[in-house]
Amino acid sequence: MSDCPSAPLVIDRVSLEMSLASRWRTPRMRILDAVSLSLAPGEIVGLVGESGSGKTTLGLTLVGRHRPTHGSIQLGGSALAPGTPAQRRLQMVFQDPLASFNPRRRVGDAVRLALDVHRIGPPSARGDIVQALFAQVGLSSEHAARFPHALSGGQLQRVALARALATRPDYIVADEPVSKLDVSVRAQILNLVRRTNAETGVGLLFITHDLAAAQFLCHRIAVMYLGRIVELGTPDAVLGRPRHPYTARLVAGTAYDGSAGADPRLGAREACFYAPACTRRLPRCTQERPPLDETGLACFRPEELPPEPGREAIPALA
Ligand SMILES: Nc1ncnc2c1ncn2[C@@H]1O[C@H](COP(=O)(O)OP(=O)(O)OP(=O)(O)O)[C@@H](O)[C@H]1O
Ligand code: SF4
Ligand SMILES: [Mg+2]
């Protein structure tokens, strides 16, 4: 946990535009479009949505790897921006455990480096802090002395969590932290994440394609579609009684190829991006953008949806 009292994380209408190629005058794509989301101290919010919807980009923006084109990110009232000291209060755990470590550095030294860079604790105490962090994630000093390739994927994700915790963050962005792991160790790592949240009070933005994992871990779930949040609520509400047609489709596991037709992220914003695929479309859906309302829905037809045919119950995790 942070030295300072934990503070809410407020993502306020964050947009991010990027050029699709380095050529002059290439179209700019709005990869994140006025994303607003607040995390309470200690809260775990799941971020789900199909591939390419912008989940990783939002995570990278939160930890200062991208500067928003519009909007702001605030932690306890202070604005976060790339390079600001407060950025250390947000850390990230990446999807690919092996790729996130320098192959020539012992993993204990990788965690120590995070302490050195951010000047956490007196230098003479940092060795003990590293040991305590390894113990916290269920590893020993013997593991700390190994190089990344000598650890399993699950062990490396434990080290990644220890490294993220080293700066005593208020929030961790965990980007699909178990998707590259063997099924047999996934539940162990999810349990560790949950225990760490309970013990340290660190909040999490948990990015996942695994709806069962989101249901197991998260206090709330946000559904992202083409850079916009279209639904937000408790796991029971969002996954059990989805109200947005896109969420219903996601929960049902019915694939939708959004690549048919022009990508709406390159064009007019004053429309619901889901309109081309929506069977409930109204005339106004192609002319106005539905805002995310106070009930957590961005849709002009707020009636509850009938059960999706073929929707299966989400299996419970151990
Ligand atoms: N550096 C970049 N330059 C240009 N476009 C990018 C860049 N990074 C991501 N994109 C585009 O932004 C969109 C969102 O990508 P992102 O990786 O955030 O999606 P995602 O939701 O994390 O997908 P996945 O579930 O596959 O991990 C995609 O269309 C991607 O091609
Ligand atoms: S706003 Fe309109 S097009 Fe968009 S999901 Fe709702 S009903 Fe469908
Ligand atoms: Mg991603």
Side-chain angles (χ1 to χ4, degrees), residues 105-108 141-152 155:
R105 184 177 284 135
R106 294 177 199 277
V107 293
S141 46
E142 189 266 318
H143 294 109
R146 294 197 205 165
F147 289 95
H149 66 263
L151 292 173
S152 69
Q155 289 167 334

Side-chain angles (χ1 to χ4, degrees), residues 97 101 107 134 137-139 142-143 146 148 150-162 181 185 188-189 192:
F101 287 93
V107 293
F134 270 74
V137 297
L139 297 175
E142 189 266 318
H143 294 109
R146 294 197 205 165
L151 292 173
S152 69
Q155 289 167 334
L156 275 175
Q157 280 310 52
R158 288 174 188 269
V159 180
L161 185 61
L181 305 182
V185 294
Q188 291 171 22
I189 300 298
L192 173 67

Side-chain angles (χ1 to χ4, degrees), residues 41-318:
E43 189 179 25
I44 306 181
V45 174
L47 185 60
V48 302
E50 70 195 10
S51 197
S53 56
K55 305 179 300 295
T56 296
T57 305
L58 179 62
L60 291 172
T61 306
L62 292 179
V63 299
R65 299 272 191 102
H66 299 304
R67 190 180 288 276
T69 313
H70 303 287
S72 65
I73 302 160
Q74 291 139 35
L75 191 57
S78 21
L80 294 188
T84 55
Q87 253 328 139
R88 72 152 181 84
R89 295 170 68 182
L90 254 82
Q91 294 294 324
M92 190 150 175
V93 172
F94 296 91
Q95 181 177 19
D96 186 345
L98 199 53
S100 40
F101 287 93
N102 179 339
R104 286 179 291 277
R105 184 177 284 135
R106 294 177 199 277
V107 293
D109 293 340
V111 176
R112 164 81 192 217
L113 186 63
L115 297 173
D116 292 341
V117 166
H118 296 282
R119 299 198 182 91
I120 307 287
S124 59
R126 289 182 193 154
D128 289 344
I129 298 175
V130 171
Q131 271 202 15
L133 286 164
F134 270 74
Q136 192 176 344
V137 297
L139 297 175
S140 67
S141 46
E142 189 266 318
H143 294 109
R146 294 197 205 165
F147 289 95
H149 66 263
L151 292 173
S152 69
Q155 289 167 334
L156 275 175
Q157 280 310 52
R158 288 174 188 269
V159 180
L161 185 61
R163 181 172 59 181
L165 290 167
T167 65
R168 300 175 197 156
D170 293 42
Y171 295 91
I172 292 176
V173 176
D175 189 3
E176 306 197 42
V178 300
S179 65
K180 298 250 178 197
L181 305 182
D182 290 345
V183 173
S184 57
V185 294
R186 287 184 187 181
Q188 291 171 22
I189 300 298
L190 292 177
N191 276 312
L192 173 67
V193 169
R194 189 151 87 162
R195 203 174 65 233
T196 304
N197 164 258
E199 287 173 0
T200 68
V202 71
L204 284 119
L205 184 69
F206 178 70
I207 298 172
T208 187
H209 281 272
D210 182 345
L211 301 183
Q215 177 136 41
F216 168 76
L217 207 56
C218 300
H219 302 119
R220 287 187 301 154
I221 292 179
V223 181
M224 187 170 250
Y225 182 70
L226 297 183
R228 295 177 171 180
I229 293 183
V230 296
E231 190 161 1
L232 173 69
T234 62
D236 283 351
V238 171
L239 303 179
R241 300 182 302 282
R243 293 180 299 150
H244 195 285
Y246 173 68
T247 313
R249 197 170 218 161
L250 188 74
V251 171
T254 330
Y256 162 57
D257 182 5
S259 64
D263 190 320
R265 293 171 294 179
L266 290 165
R269 289 178 199 124
E270 299 313 312
C272 171
F273 282 175
Y274 194 63
C278 186
T279 54
R280 295 154 56 84
R281 187 176 60 228
L282 303 167
R284 70 185 292 205
C285 301
T286 55
Q287 291 151 19
E288 287 175 58
R289 173 185 179 152
L292 188 67
D293 68 17
E294 64 285 353
T295 72
L297 181 67
C299 175
F300 290 127
R301 297 194 62 178
E303 318 87 273
E304 203 162 296
L305 293 172
E308 187 89 15
R311 191 160 93 209
E312 289 174 19
I314 294 169
L317 266 169

